[in-house]
Amino acid sequence: MSRLIRPAVVLGLIGALAAVLAACGGSSDDPNKLLKETFSGSHKVTSGKLNVAIDIAAKGVPNLSQPVKIALTGPFQSQGQNQLPKFDLNLSFSGGGQTFSAGAVSTGDAGYLKFQGQAYKVPPNVFSQFKQGFEQAQQKRQGQSNDNALKRLGLDPLKWVKDAKVEGDEDVGGTSTKHVSASIDVPKFTDDLNVLLKNAQSLGGGGNTGRLPSNLTQQQRQQIINAVKTAKFQVWTGADDKTLRKLQVDLGISGSGGRSGDLTFTLEIDDLNQGQTINAPANAKSLSDLTNQLSQLGLGGALGGAGATGGAGSSGSSGSSGSSGSSGSGGSAGSSAKLQKYTECLQQAGGDAAKAQKCAELLK
């Protein structure tokens, strides 16, 4: 599978293309001019409903015998320049007969995490630190040039998009748009991708960015170029304001041993600049409840400092065992058995959130 494309590299490519959300921001039916107006300058994006989807269909890859779909959806609302926006985002995954859901909410004053349909409140001090860090980062960017966010990260679609043409006028979420299609010059794109990886922290990925390479080796770059057989880039830009409404990338990938696949990335923003209402989730539990579940799954460090702070109240009770942090193979075996039963329960629950929540009892 590594010969096809390393997963981290594919995720890096996806992340790079997803970053156009920050660059949403003009006219004629000249396709190159439409693209330039869409990906250059400043555009008003204060609120809307975000819809991001990743669809993967592979052949000859054992771990991807069934289609995989990842979706991120939900409303967002700006609170002013350099301020943490309000948002209520839901992440879902389906593939291999399994489903998973998570999410995050910010009301501006409080934060929540969601896992399998249940909300958990982030401790106030942790949320405050996150909010402060975000706002400080935004303030630092004020002194930078007026280049859009993509260029600050080292990405410039105008360099690696070719053979653009106008497909026509189309409606996207009730807005009239110009549909432009083009091909991606893969070698030129890998040049920009290399710069993006070096600036990965700018994406706000935190600890997760450590799983991405800091740069592409020449061999990795060549693997991508050889594996990507087709690469189509489509943009739907507002007919009046030339602000991005929808973007889609279709990749056809082929590797050795009959392995191949198709990957589609779609980003859409509906109800652009229309007010969104973000409310605190009902019946939210303490974050320590979530960290306890993750600990039993062997994922106690998944939330980093947030988990440690959120679970401070429960650390004392667990400390009575004395050896919980070094219980060895016995604890691991118990966790593995619970994880297996939990996974089987989730498979049977399918997309039913209520049934999935009951599965959590198996982790206790």
Side-chain angles (χ1 to χ4, degrees):
M1 184 175 177
S2 61
R3 296 181 181 178
L4 183 59
I5 280 190
R6 291 181 181 274
V9 175
V10 174
L11 290 175
L13 184 151
I14 293 170
L17 294 170
V20 297
L21 174 61
C24 301
S27 237
S28 72
D29 284 353
D30 179 335
N32 293 311
K33 185 175 182 180
L34 288 172
L35 290 174
K36 183 177 181 180
E37 290 174 325
T38 302
F39 294 109
S40 300
S42 177
H43 296 257
K44 180 183 178 182
V45 180
T46 59
S47 61
K49 293 179 180 177
L50 180 66
N51 292 281
V52 178
I54 300 172
D55 294 276
I56 303 173
K59 296 180 180 179
V61 182
N63 294 333
L64 293 175
S65 59
Q66 298 183 32
V68 173
K69 183 177 181 65
I70 304 171
L72 179 68
T73 63
F76 63 94
Q77 175 69 55
S78 170
Q79 295 197 91
Q81 188 176 24
N82 299 328
Q83 301 299 305
L84 178 69
K86 296 180 179 180
F87 55 81
D88 185 354
L89 300 177
N90 296 291
L91 175 68
S92 63
F93 168 89
S94 63
Q98 299 186 36
T99 60
F100 170 85
S101 66
V105 178
S106 169
T107 63
D109 300 316
Y112 302 81
L113 295 179
K114 293 185 284 187
F115 180 72
Q116 296 296 83
Q118 175 63 52
Y120 302 86
K121 187 172 182 178
V122 176
N125 62 320
V126 176
F127 178 75
S128 178
Q129 292 173 2
F130 170 76
K131 182 178 180 180
Q132 183 179 18
F134 176 89
E135 294 176 353
Q136 287 177 346
Q138 297 304 305
Q139 290 171 1
K140 289 181 180 179
R141 290 179 179 175
Q142 272 191 306
Q144 298 180 3
S145 66
N146 292 326
D147 285 341
N148 62 51
L150 279 177
K151 289 187 177 180
R152 288 200 299 268
L153 292 175
L155 292 172
D156 184 358
L158 301 179
K159 291 182 179 179
W160 37 265
V161 168
K162 62 181 183 179
D163 304 325
K165 64 178 180 179
V166 177
E167 299 288 352
D169 297 337
E170 297 181 20
D171 181 280
V172 174
T175 298
S176 177
T177 70
K178 298 288 184 180
H179 179 190
V180 180
S181 68
S183 298
I184 296 175
D185 187 319
V186 179
K188 290 184 178 179
F189 175 75
T190 59
D191 291 337
D192 272 10
L193 179 57
N194 207 28
V195 177
L196 172 68
L197 292 174
K198 293 178 181 179
N199 297 325
Q201 293 301 322
S202 298
L203 287 174
N208 291 333
T209 57
R211 297 183 180 182
L212 293 174
S214 59
N215 64 281
L216 294 176
T217 65
Q218 185 59 37
Q219 181 180 7
Q220 290 171 331
R221 183 176 180 273
Q222 194 59 49
Q223 284 179 337
I224 296 175
I225 294 173
N226 293 340
V228 178
K229 303 304 180 182
T230 60
K232 186 176 181 180
F233 185 81
Q234 298 184 80
V235 167
W236 289 259
T237 186
D240 295 328
D241 58 17
K242 305 305 177 291
T243 300
L244 182 71
R245 292 311 199 282
K246 182 178 177 181
L247 178 150
Q248 181 170 315
V249 176
D250 297 283
L251 301 179
I253 303 170
S254 180
S256 60
R259 290 174 292 184
S260 63
D262 296 307
L263 183 151
T264 298
F265 170 83
T266 306
L267 180 151
E268 183 173 337
I269 309 173
D270 296 327
D271 296 341
L272 183 65
N273 297 327
Q274 296 183 25
Q276 303 295 320
T277 301
I278 312 295
N279 296 317
N283 304 317
K285 295 183 178 181
S286 168
L287 189 65
S288 62
D289 291 339
L290 176 58
T291 58
N292 288 338
Q293 289 188 34
L294 295 178
S295 294
Q296 292 174 1
L297 285 171
L299 301 173
L303 295 179
T309 305
S314 61
S315 61
S317 61
S318 63
S320 61
S321 66
S323 60
S324 61
S326 58
S327 57
S329 60
S332 298
S335 296
S336 297
K338 290 180 179 180
L339 176 58
Q340 182 176 354
K341 292 180 180 180
Y342 179 66
T343 302
E344 292 172 353
C345 182
L346 288 180
Q347 292 176 346
Q348 295 174 1
D352 190 319
K355 291 182 179 180
Q357 288 182 40
K358 292 182 180 180
C359 295
E361 297 294 324
L362 298 173
L363 300 174
K364 297 180 179 179

